[in-house]
Amino acid sequence: MMPPTPVAADNLSGDERQAIKAPFVGYFRAANPPIKAGQELKKGQVIGSIEALGIPNDVESSAGGVVDEVLVKDGEAVEFGQPIALLRSAS
């Protein structure tokens, strides 16, 4: 398995939510257990992996916060830059 790939969390439309985006094209595989709305994430926590060319690559959150919404299901194809989950501030 390759080392985890840091993923940028970008601000969305000026509100408090941030997107964890796919760093490349492939199939998203949810972590076990999968992340869910309301769950608190720490910076660097693995949220799943993206399988490309048969090789799984861990996807980490580059910011801490609470999962507001999970946008991608396990096994779903993702494009480069596609939001996987939305985070909001933990405070």
Side-chain angles (χ1 to χ4, degrees):
M1 180 156 31
M2 297 181 67
T5 304
V7 179
D10 297 323
N11 288 330
L12 295 178
S13 66
D15 63 355
E16 294 296 318
R17 297 194 316 171
Q18 298 178 324
I20 301 173
K21 296 182 178 183
F24 41 84
V25 176
Y27 291 94
F28 179 73
R29 302 293 181 205
N32 189 8
I35 61 170
K36 58 186 177 187
Q39 177 181 344
E40 189 166 342
L41 293 180
K42 295 180 190 235
K43 182 177 179 176
Q45 184 170 341
V46 175
I47 64 160
S49 64
I50 294 179
E51 188 176 312
L53 301 173
I55 301 169
N57 297 280
D58 286 346
V59 177
E60 296 179 347
S61 176
S62 65
V66 176
V67 178
D68 197 38
E69 186 177 0
V70 179
L71 304 171
V72 178
K73 295 178 183 168
D74 185 55
E76 191 173 326
V78 294
E79 296 291 328
F80 173 78
Q82 179 179 342
I84 295 172
L86 299 176
L87 301 179
R88 59 182 158 78
S89 174
S91 53

Coordinates of all heavy atoms in Angstrom, one line a residue:
M1 N 0.8 -1.2 0.0 CA 0.0 0.0 0.0 C 0.9 1.2 0.0 O 1.9 1.3 0.7 CB -0.9 0.0 1.2 CG -1.8 1.2 1.2 SD -3.4 1.2 2.1 CE -3.3 0.2 3.5
M2 N 0.5 2.2 -0.7 CA 1.2 3.5 -0.8 C 1.0 4.3 0.4 O 0.0 4.2 1.1 CB 0.8 4.2 -2.1 CG 1.2 3.5 -3.4 SD 0.8 4.3 -4.8 CE 1.9 5.7 -4.8
P3 N 1.9 5.3 0.7 CA 1.6 6.2 1.9 C 0.4 7.0 1.7 O 0.0 7.3 0.5 CB 2.9 7.1 1.9 CG 3.6 6.9 0.6 CD 3.1 5.6 0.0
P4 N -0.2 7.5 2.8 CA -1.5 8.3 2.7 C -1.2 9.5 1.9 O -0.2 10.1 1.9 CB -1.8 8.6 4.1 CG -1.1 7.6 4.9 CD 0.1 7.2 4.1
T5 N -2.3 9.9 1.1 CA -2.2 11.2 0.3 C -3.0 12.3 1.1 O -4.2 12.1 1.3 CB -2.9 10.9 -1.0 OG1 -2.3 9.8 -1.7 CG2 -2.8 12.2 -1.9
P6 N -2.3 13.4 1.5 CA -3.0 14.5 2.1 C -4.0 15.1 1.1 O -3.7 15.2 0.0 CB -1.9 15.5 2.5 CG -0.6 14.7 2.3 CD -0.9 13.6 1.3
V7 N -5.1 15.5 1.6 CA -6.2 16.0 0.8 C -6.5 17.4 1.3 O -6.7 17.6 2.5 CB -7.4 15.1 0.8 CG1 -8.5 15.8 0.0 CG2 -7.1 13.8 0.3
A8 N -6.5 18.4 0.4 CA -6.9 19.7 0.9 C -8.3 19.9 1.2 O -9.2 19.3 0.6 CB -6.5 20.7 -0.3
A9 N -8.6 20.6 2.2 CA -10.0 20.9 2.6 C -10.2 22.4 2.2 O -9.5 23.3 2.7 CB -10.2 20.8 4.1
D10 N -11.0 22.6 1.3 CA -11.3 23.9 0.7 C -12.5 24.6 1.2 O -13.5 23.9 1.4 CB -11.4 23.9 -0.8 CG -10.1 23.4 -1.5 OD1 -9.0 23.7 -1.0 OD2 -10.2 22.6 -2.4
N11 N -12.5 25.9 1.4 CA -13.7 26.6 1.9 C -14.8 26.5 0.8 O -14.5 26.6 -0.4 CB -13.4 28.0 2.2 CG -12.7 28.2 3.5 OD1 -12.8 27.3 4.4 ND2 -11.8 29.2 3.6
L12 N -16.0 26.4 1.1 CA -17.1 26.4 0.2 C -18.0 27.6 0.3 O -18.5 27.8 1.4 CB -18.0 25.1 0.3 CG -17.4 23.8 0.1 CD1 -18.4 22.7 0.3 CD2 -16.9 23.7 -1.4
S13 N -18.1 28.4 -0.6 CA -19.0 29.6 -0.7 C -19.0 30.4 0.5 O -20.1 30.9 0.9 CB -20.4 29.1 -1.1 OG -21.0 28.3 -0.1
G14 N -17.9 30.6 1.2 CA -17.8 31.5 2.3 C -18.4 31.1 3.6 O -18.4 31.8 4.6
D15 N -19.0 29.9 3.7 CA -19.6 29.5 4.9 C -18.6 28.7 5.7 O -17.4 28.6 5.4 CB -20.9 28.6 4.7 CG -20.7 27.4 3.9 OD1 -19.6 27.1 3.5 OD2 -21.7 26.6 3.8
E16 N -19.1 28.0 6.8 CA -18.1 27.3 7.7 C -17.8 25.9 7.2 O -17.1 25.2 7.9 CB -18.7 27.3 9.1 CG -18.8 28.7 9.7 CD -17.4 29.3 10.0 OE1 -16.5 28.6 10.4 OE2 -17.3 30.5 9.7
R17 N -18.4 25.5 6.1 CA -18.2 24.1 5.7 C -16.9 24.0 4.8 O -16.6 25.0 4.1 CB -19.4 23.6 5.0 CG -20.6 23.5 5.9 CD -21.7 22.7 5.3 NE -22.1 22.9 4.0 CZ -22.9 22.1 3.3 NH1 -23.5 21.1 3.9 NH2 -23.2 22.4 2.0
Q18 N -16.3 22.9 4.9 CA -15.1 22.6 4.0 C -15.3 21.3 3.4 O -15.9 20.4 3.9 CB -13.8 22.6 4.9 CG -13.5 23.8 5.6 CD -12.3 23.7 6.5 OE1 -12.1 22.6 7.1 NE2 -11.5 24.7 6.5
A19 N -14.7 21.2 2.2 CA -14.9 19.9 1.4 C -13.5 19.1 1.5 O -12.5 19.7 1.3 CB -15.2 20.2 0.0
I20 N -13.6 17.8 1.7 CA -12.5 16.9 1.5 C -12.7 16.4 0.1 O -13.7 15.8 -0.2 CB -12.5 15.8 2.6 CG1 -12.5 16.3 4.0 CG2 -11.4 14.8 2.3 CD1 -12.6 15.3 5.0
K21 N -11.7 16.7 -0.7 CA -11.8 16.4 -2.2 C -10.9 15.2 -2.6 O -9.9 15.0 -2.0 CB -11.4 17.6 -3.0 CG -12.4 18.8 -2.8 CD -12.0 19.9 -3.6 CE -13.1 21.1 -3.4 NZ -12.8 22.2 -4.3
A22 N -11.4 14.5 -3.6 CA -10.6 13.4 -4.2 C -9.3 13.9 -4.8 O -9.4 14.8 -5.6 CB -11.4 12.6 -5.2
P23 N -8.1 13.4 -4.4 CA -6.9 13.8 -5.0 C -6.6 13.3 -6.4 O -5.7 13.7 -7.1 CB -5.8 13.3 -4.0 CG -6.5 12.1 -3.4 CD -7.9 12.4 -3.4
F24 N -7.4 12.3 -6.9 CA -7.2 11.7 -8.2 C -8.5 10.9 -8.5 O -9.3 10.7 -7.7 CB -5.9 10.9 -8.3 CG -5.6 10.0 -7.1 CD1 -6.2 8.8 -7.0 CD2 -4.8 10.5 -6.2 CE1 -5.9 8.0 -5.9 CE2 -4.5 9.7 -5.1 CZ -5.1 8.4 -4.9
V25 N -8.5 10.3 -9.8 CA -9.6 9.6 -10.3 C -9.5 8.1 -9.8 O -8.4 7.6 -9.7 CB -9.6 9.6 -11.8 CG1 -10.7 8.7 -12.4 CG2 -9.8 11.0 -12.3
G26 N -10.6 7.5 -9.4 CA -10.6 6.1 -9.0 C -11.9 5.7 -8.4 O -12.9 6.4 -8.5
Y27 N -11.9 4.7 -7.6 CA -13.1 4.2 -6.9 C -12.9 4.4 -5.4 O -11.9 4.0 -4.8 CB -13.3 2.7 -7.2 CG -13.8 2.5 -8.6 CD1 -12.9 2.1 -9.6 CD2 -15.1 2.6 -8.9 CE1 -13.3 2.0 -10.9 CE2 -15.5 2.4 -10.2 CZ -14.6 2.1 -11.2 OH -15.0 1.9 -12.5
F28 N -13.8 5.1 -4.8 CA -13.7 5.4 -3.4 C -14.1 4.2 -2.5 O -15.1 3.5 -2.8 CB -14.7 6.5 -3.0 CG -14.7 6.9 -1.5 CD1 -13.6 7.5 -1.0 CD2 -15.7 6.5 -0.7 CE1 -13.5 7.8 0.4 CE2 -15.7 6.8 0.7 CZ -14.6 7.5 1.2
R29 N -13.3 3.9 -1.6 CA -13.5 2.8 -0.6 C -13.6 3.4 0.8 O -12.6 4.0 1.2 CB -12.4 1.7 -0.7 CG -12.2 1.1 -2.0 CD -13.4 0.3 -2.5 NE -13.1 -0.3 -3.8 CZ -14.1 -0.7 -4.6 NH1 -15.4 -0.5 -4.3 NH2 -13.8 -1.2 -5.8
A30 N -14.7 3.3 1.4 CA -14.9 3.8 2.8 C -14.0 3.2 3.8 O -13.7 2.0 3.7 CB -16.4 3.7 3.2
A31 N -13.6 3.9 4.8 CA -12.8 3.4 5.9 C -13.8 2.4 6.7 O -15.0 2.4 6.5 CB -12.4 4.5 6.8
N32 N -13.2 1.5 7.5 CA -13.9 0.6 8.3 C -13.7 1.0 9.8 O -12.6 0.8 10.3 CB -13.5 -0.8 8.0 CG -14.4 -1.8 8.7 OD1 -15.5 -1.5 9.2 ND2 -14.0 -3.1 8.6
P33 N -14.7 1.5 10.5 CA -16.0 1.8 10.1 C -16.1 3.1 9.2 O -15.2 3.9 9.3 CB -16.8 2.0 11.4 CG -15.8 2.5 12.3 CD -14.5 1.9 11.9
P34 N -17.1 3.2 8.3 CA -17.2 4.4 7.5 C -17.5 5.7 8.3 O -18.1 5.6 9.3 CB -18.3 4.1 6.5 CG -19.1 3.0 7.2 CD -18.1 2.2 8.1
I35 N -17.0 6.8 7.7 CA -17.4 8.1 8.4 C -18.9 8.3 8.2 O -19.5 7.8 7.3 CB -16.5 9.2 7.9 CG1 -16.8 9.5 6.4 CG2 -15.1 9.0 8.2 CD1 -16.2 10.8 5.9
K36 N -19.5 9.1 9.1 CA -20.9 9.4 9.0 C -21.1 10.8 9.6 O -20.3 11.4 10.3 CB -21.7 8.4 9.8 CG -21.4 8.3 11.3 CD -22.1 7.2 11.9 CE -21.7 7.1 13.4 NZ -22.2 5.9 14.1
A37 N -22.3 11.4 9.2 CA -22.6 12.7 9.6 C -22.7 12.8 11.1 O -23.1 11.9 11.8 CB -24.0 13.1 9.0
G38 N -22.1 13.9 11.7 CA -22.0 14.1 13.1 C -20.8 13.6 13.7 O -20.5 13.9 14.9
Q39 N -20.0 12.8 13.0 CA -18.7 12.2 13.5 C -17.6 13.3 13.5 O -17.5 14.1 12.6 CB -18.3 11.1 12.7 CG -17.0 10.4 13.1 CD -16.6 9.3 12.2 OE1 -17.4 8.8 11.4 NE2 -15.3 8.9 12.2
E40 N -16.9 13.4 14.6 CA -15.7 14.3 14.6 C -14.5 13.7 14.0 O -14.2 12.5 14.3 CB -15.4 14.7 16.1 CG -14.4 15.8 16.2 CD -14.4 16.5 17.5 OE1 -15.3 16.3 18.3 OE2 -13.4 17.2 17.8
L41 N -13.8 14.4 13.1 CA -12.6 14.0 12.5 C -11.4 14.8 13.0 O -11.6 16.0 13.3 CB -12.7 14.1 11.0 CG -13.7 13.3 10.2 CD1 -13.6 13.6 8.7 CD2 -13.4 11.8 10.4
K42 N -10.3 14.2 13.1 CA -9.1 14.9 13.5 C -8.2 15.1 12.2 O -8.4 14.3 11.2 CB -8.3 14.1 14.5 CG -9.0 13.9 15.8 CD -8.1 13.1 16.7 CE -9.0 12.8 17.9 NZ -8.8 13.0 19.1
K43 N -7.4 16.1 12.2 CA -6.5 16.3 11.1 C -5.6 15.1 10.9 O -5.1 14.5 11.8 CB -5.6 17.5 11.3 CG -4.7 17.9 10.2 CD -3.9 19.1 10.5 CE -3.0 19.4 9.4 NZ -2.3 20.6 9.5
G44 N -5.6 14.6 9.6 CA -4.8 13.4 9.3 C -5.5 12.1 9.5 O -4.9 11.0 9.2
Q45 N -6.7 12.1 9.9 CA -7.5 10.9 10.0 C -7.9 10.3 8.7 O -8.3 11.0 7.8 CB -8.8 11.1 10.8 CG -9.6 9.9 11.1 CD -10.7 10.2 12.1 OE1 -10.7 11.1 12.8 NE2 -11.7 9.3 12.1
V46 N -7.7 9.0 8.5 CA -8.0 8.4 7.2 C -9.5 8.2 7.1 O -10.2 7.7 8.0 CB -7.3 7.0 7.1 CG1 -7.8 6.2 5.9 CG2 -5.8 7.1 7.1
I47 N -10.1 8.7 6.0 CA -11.5 8.6 5.8 C -11.9 7.5 4.8 O -13.1 7.2 4.7 CB -12.1 10.0 5.4 CG1 -11.6 10.4 4.0 CG2 -11.9 11.1 6.4 CD1 -12.5 11.4 3.3
G48 N -10.9 7.0 4.2 CA -11.2 5.9 3.2 C -10.0 5.8 2.3 O -8.9 6.3 2.6
S49 N -10.2 5.2 1.1 CA -9.1 5.1 0.1 C -9.7 5.3 -1.2 O -10.9 5.1 -1.4 CB -8.3 3.8 0.3 OG -9.2 2.7 0.0
I50 N -8.8 5.6 -2.2 CA -9.2 5.6 -3.6 C -8.4 4.6 -4.3 O -7.2 4.6 -4.2 CB -9.1 7.0 -4.2 CG1 -10.0 8.0 -3.5 CG2 -9.3 7.0 -5.7 CD1 -10.0 9.4 -4.0
E51 N -9.1 3.7 -5.0 CA -8.4 2.6 -5.7 C -8.2 3.1 -7.1 O -9.2 3.4 -7.8 CB -9.2 1.4 -5.6 CG -8.5 0.2 -6.2 CD -9.3 -1.1 -6.0 OE1 -9.8 -1.3 -4.9 OE2 -9.5 -1.8 -7.0
A52 N -7.0 3.2 -7.5 CA -6.6 3.5 -8.9 C -5.6 2.5 -9.5 O -4.6 2.2 -8.8 CB -6.0 4.9 -9.0
L53 N -5.9 1.9 -10.6 CA -5.1 0.9 -11.2 C -4.9 -0.3 -10.3 O -3.8 -0.9 -10.2 CB -3.8 1.5 -11.7 CG -3.9 2.6 -12.7 CD1 -2.5 3.2 -12.9 CD2 -4.5 2.1 -14.0
G54 N -5.9 -0.6 -9.5 CA -5.8 -1.7 -8.6 C -5.1 -1.4 -7.3 O -4.9 -2.3 -6.5
I55 N -4.6 -0.2 -7.1 CA -3.8 0.1 -5.9 C -4.6 1.1 -5.0 O -5.0 2.1 -5.4 CB -2.4 0.8 -6.3 CG1 -1.6 -0.2 -7.2 CG2 -1.7 1.2 -5.1 CD1 -0.4 0.5 -7.8
P56 N -4.9 0.7 -3.7 CA -5.6 1.5 -2.8 C -4.6 2.6 -2.2 O -3.5 2.3 -1.9 CB -6.1 0.6 -1.7 CG -5.1 -0.5 -1.8 CD -4.6 -0.7 -3.2
N57 N -5.1 3.8 -2.2 CA -4.3 4.9 -1.7 C -5.2 5.6 -0.6 O -6.3 6.1 -0.9 CB -4.0 6.0 -2.8 CG -3.1 5.4 -3.8 OD1 -1.9 5.2 -3.6 ND2 -3.7 4.9 -4.9
D58 N -4.7 5.7 0.7 CA -5.4 6.3 1.7 C -5.7 7.7 1.5 O -4.9 8.4 0.9 CB -4.7 6.1 3.1 CG -4.7 4.7 3.6 OD1 -5.5 3.9 3.2 OD2 -3.9 4.5 4.5
V59 N -6.9 8.2 1.9 CA -7.3 9.6 1.8 C -7.4 10.1 3.2 O -8.2 9.5 4.0 CB -8.6 9.8 1.0 CG1 -9.0 11.2 1.0 CG2 -8.5 9.2 -0.4
E60 N -6.7 11.1 3.6 CA -6.7 11.7 4.9 C -7.4 13.1 4.9 O -7.3 13.8 3.9 CB -5.3 11.9 5.4 CG -4.5 10.7 5.6 CD -3.1 11.0 6.2 OE1 -2.7 12.2 6.1 OE2 -2.4 10.0 6.6
S61 N -8.0 13.4 6.0 CA -8.5 14.8 6.2 C -7.4 15.7 6.6 O -6.6 15.4 7.5 CB -9.6 14.8 7.3 OG -10.1 16.1 7.5
S62 N -7.3 16.8 5.9 CA -6.2 17.8 6.2 C -6.7 18.8 7.2 O -5.9 19.7 7.6 CB -5.7 18.5 5.0 OG -6.7 19.3 4.4
A63 N -7.9 18.7 7.7 CA -8.5 19.6 8.7 C -9.3 18.8 9.6 O -9.9 17.7 9.3 CB -9.3 20.7 8.0
G64 N -9.4 19.3 10.9 CA -10.3 18.7 11.9 C -11.7 19.3 11.8 O -11.8 20.4 11.3
G65 N -12.7 18.6 12.2 CA -14.0 19.2 12.3 C -15.0 18.0 12.4 O -14.7 16.9 12.7
V66 N -16.3 18.4 12.2 CA -17.4 17.5 12.4 C -17.9 17.2 10.9 O -18.1 18.1 10.2 CB -18.5 18.0 13.3 CG1 -19.7 17.1 13.3 CG2 -18.0 18.3 14.7
V67 N -18.2 15.9 10.6 CA -18.7 15.6 9.3 C -20.1 16.1 9.2 O -21.0 15.8 10.0 CB -18.7 14.1 9.1 CG1 -19.3 13.7 7.7 CG2 -17.3 13.5 9.2
D68 N -20.4 17.0 8.2 CA -21.7 17.5 8.0 C -22.5 16.7 7.0 O -23.7 16.4 7.2 CB -21.5 19.0 7.5 CG -22.8 19.8 7.6 OD1 -23.5 19.6 8.6 OD2 -23.1 20.5 6.6
E69 N -21.8 16.2 6.0 CA -22.4 15.3 5.0 C -21.4 14.5 4.3 O -20.3 15.0 4.0 CB -23.2 16.2 4.0 CG -24.0 15.6 3.0 CD -24.7 16.5 2.1 OE1 -24.6 17.8 2.2 OE2 -25.4 16.1 1.2
V70 N -21.7 13.2 4.1 CA -20.9 12.3 3.2 C -21.5 12.3 1.9 O -22.7 12.0 1.7 CB -20.8 10.9 3.8 CG1 -19.9 10.0 3.0 CG2 -20.3 11.0 5.3
L71 N -20.7 12.7 0.8 CA -21.3 12.8 -0.5 C -21.0 11.6 -1.4 O -21.6 11.5 -2.5 CB -20.7 14.1 -1.1 CG -20.8 15.4 -0.3 CD1 -20.0 16.5 -0.9 CD2 -22.3 15.8 -0.3
V72 N -20.1 10.7 -1.1 CA -19.7 9.6 -1.9 C -20.0 8.3 -1.2 O -19.6 8.2 0.0 CB -18.3 9.7 -2.3 CG1 -17.8 8.6 -3.2 CG2 -18.0 11.0 -3.1
K73 N -20.5 7.3 -1.8 CA -20.8 6.0 -1.2 C -19.6 5.1 -1.5 O -18.9 5.3 -2.5 CB -22.1 5.4 -1.8 CG -23.3 6.2 -1.4 CD -24.5 5.6 -2.1 CE -25.7 6.4 -1.7 NZ -26.9 6.1 -2.5
D74 N -19.5 4.1 -0.7 CA -18.4 3.0 -0.9 C -18.6 2.4 -2.3 O -19.7 2.0 -2.7 CB -18.6 2.0 0.2 CG -17.4 1.0 0.1 OD1 -16.3 1.4 0.1 OD2 -17.8 -0.2 0.0
G75 N -17.5 2.3 -3.0 CA -17.5 1.7 -4.3 C -17.8 2.7 -5.5 O -17.7 2.3 -6.6
E76 N -18.2 3.9 -5.2 CA -18.5 4.9 -6.2 C -17.3 5.5 -6.9 O -16.3 5.7 -6.2 CB -19.3 6.0 -5.5 CG -20.0 7.0 -6.5 CD -20.9 7.9 -5.8 OE1 -21.5 7.6 -4.7 OE2 -21.0 9.1 -6.2
A77 N -17.4 5.6 -8.2 CA -16.3 6.3 -8.9 C -16.2 7.7 -8.6 O -17.2 8.4 -8.4 CB -16.5 6.1 -10.4
V78 N -15.0 8.3 -8.4 CA -14.8 9.7 -8.1 C -13.8 10.3 -9.2 O -13.0 9.6 -9.7 CB -14.2 9.9 -6.7 CG1 -15.3 9.5 -5.7 CG2 -12.9 9.2 -6.5
E79 N -14.0 11.6 -9.4 CA -13.2 12.3 -10.3 C -12.2 13.2 -9.5 O -12.4 13.5 -8.3 CB -14.1 13.3 -11.2 CG -15.0 12.6 -12.1 CD -14.3 11.8 -13.2 OE1 -13.3 12.3 -13.7 OE2 -14.8 10.8 -13.6
F80 N -11.1 13.6 -10.1 CA -10.2 14.5 -9.5 C -10.9 15.8 -9.0 O -11.7 16.4 -9.7 CB -9.1 14.9 -10.5 CG -8.2 16.0 -9.9 CD1 -7.2 15.6 -9.0 CD2 -8.3 17.3 -10.3 CE1 -6.3 16.6 -8.5 CE2 -7.5 18.3 -9.8 CZ -6.5 17.9 -8.9
G81 N -10.7 16.1 -7.7 CA -11.3 17.3 -7.1 C -12.7 17.2 -6.7 O -13.3 18.1 -6.1
Q82 N -13.3 16.0 -6.9 CA -14.7 15.8 -6.5 C -14.8 15.8 -4.9 O -14.1 15.1 -4.3 CB -15.3 14.5 -7.0 CG -16.7 14.2 -6.6 CD -17.2 12.9 -7.3 OE1 -16.6 12.4 -8.2 NE2 -18.2 12.3 -6.7
P83 N -15.7 16.6 -4.3 CA -15.9 16.5 -2.9 C -16.4 15.1 -2.4 O -17.3 14.5 -3.0 CB -17.0 17.5 -2.6 CG -17.0 18.5 -3.8 CD -16.6 17.6 -5.0
I84 N -15.7 14.6 -1.4 CA -16.1 13.3 -0.8 C -17.0 13.5 0.4 O -17.9 12.8 0.6 CB -14.8 12.5 -0.4 CG1 -14.0 12.2 -1.7 CG2 -15.1 11.3 0.3 CD1 -12.6 11.6 -1.4
A85 N -16.6 14.5 1.2 CA -17.4 14.8 2.4 C -17.3 16.3 2.7 O -16.3 16.9 2.3 CB -16.9 14.0 3.6
L86 N -18.3 16.8 3.5 CA -18.2 18.2 3.9 C -18.0 18.2 5.4 O -18.7 17.4 6.1 CB -19.5 18.9 3.6 CG -19.9 19.0 2.1 CD1 -21.3 19.6 1.9 CD2 -18.8 19.7 1.3
L87 N -17.1 19.1 5.9 CA -16.9 19.2 7.3 C -17.3 20.6 7.7 O -17.3 21.6 7.0 CB -15.4 19.1 7.6 CG -14.7 17.8 7.2 CD1 -13.2 18.0 7.6 CD2 -15.3 16.7 8.0
R88 N -17.7 20.7 9.0 CA -17.9 22.0 9.6 C -17.1 22.1 10.9 O -16.6 21.1 11.4 CB -19.4 22.3 9.9 CG -20.0 21.3 10.9 CD -21.5 21.5 11.1 NE -22.2 20.3 11.5 CZ -22.2 19.9 12.8 NH1 -21.5 20.5 13.7 NH2 -22.8 18.8 13.1
S89 N -16.9 23.3 11.3 CA -16.0 23.6 12.5 C -16.6 22.8 13.7 O -17.8 22.7 13.9 CB -16.0 25.1 12.8 OG -15.3 25.3 14.0
A90 N -15.7 22.3 14.5 CA -16.1 21.5 15.7 C -16.6 22.4 16.8 O -17.3 22.0 17.7 CB -15.0 20.6 16.2
S91 N -16.3 23.7 16.7 CA -16.7 24.6 17.8 C -18.0 25.3 17.6 O -18.6 25.3 16.6 CB -15.6 25.7 18.0 OG -15.3 26.3 16.8

